[in-house]
Amino acid sequence: MDRLVKSQQINNKHLQYEGKCGIFVNMSTVVTNIRLDRELKNEATELFNDLGLTLSQAFTVFLKQSLLHHGLPFAVTRPPSKELLAAIDEGEKLAHDPNAKTYSTPQELWDELGI
């Protein structure tokens, strides 16, 4: 048997001991339905199975980490815009261009700009 599973009743709470992982899982569960892209689910299931987790356990870990972090447990950002990437590229080129005009003080720049 791959997994040792023992059910115990402690203080009227049902716990399941997962011997392989060495963790206690609260068995007071609810069924939740979510919709996923089939391929995403299959790939995630394979990944988590390789890590010794079921998809349900992985979601539980995600939710517990979200509660600990008071939000998502990772940064959610949008990719930089084309304009920002172009500006970064232009800045990099200027920083390495020995012929680029430079200013010794902010006032020199402001004077040239007429500010």
Side-chain angles (χ1 to χ4, degrees):
M1 186 180 289
D2 289 342
R3 294 166 66 160
L4 171 65
V5 178
K6 296 179 183 176
S7 292
Q8 300 176 5
Q9 189 169 8
I10 301 173
N11 297 330
N12 295 327
K13 289 194 174 189
H14 297 282
L15 297 175
Q16 179 179 9
Y17 177 70
E18 305 248 353
K20 184 176 182 181
C21 300
I23 60 173
F24 282 97
V25 179
N26 184 343
M27 292 303 293
S28 299
T29 61
V30 295
V31 174
T32 304
N33 292 316
I34 59 172
R35 295 188 183 277
L36 297 173
D37 174 79
R38 183 180 312 274
E39 187 61 31
L40 174 63
K41 179 184 181 277
N42 291 340
E43 290 178 20
T45 299
E46 183 179 337
L47 167 69
F48 294 128
N49 285 341
D50 288 346
L51 297 172
L53 296 169
T54 65
L55 193 58
S56 179
Q57 291 168 326
F59 275 113
T60 299
V61 169
F62 167 74
L63 294 175
K64 287 185 178 190
Q65 285 297 306
S66 296
L67 293 172
L68 285 171
H69 286 85
H70 299 283
L72 293 173
F74 46 81
V76 177
T77 59
R78 103 171 81 158
S81 68
K82 291 179 183 177
E83 293 83 8
L84 178 58
L85 291 174
I88 291 170
D89 187 48
E90 180 182 1
E92 287 290 327
K93 287 178 183 173
L94 283 172
H96 295 93
D97 181 358
N99 298 321
K101 183 157 184 163
T102 60
Y103 302 93
S104 299
T105 66
Q107 189 61 49
E108 284 183 36
L109 171 63
W110 296 332
D111 289 345
E112 185 166 318
L113 294 174
I115 299 176

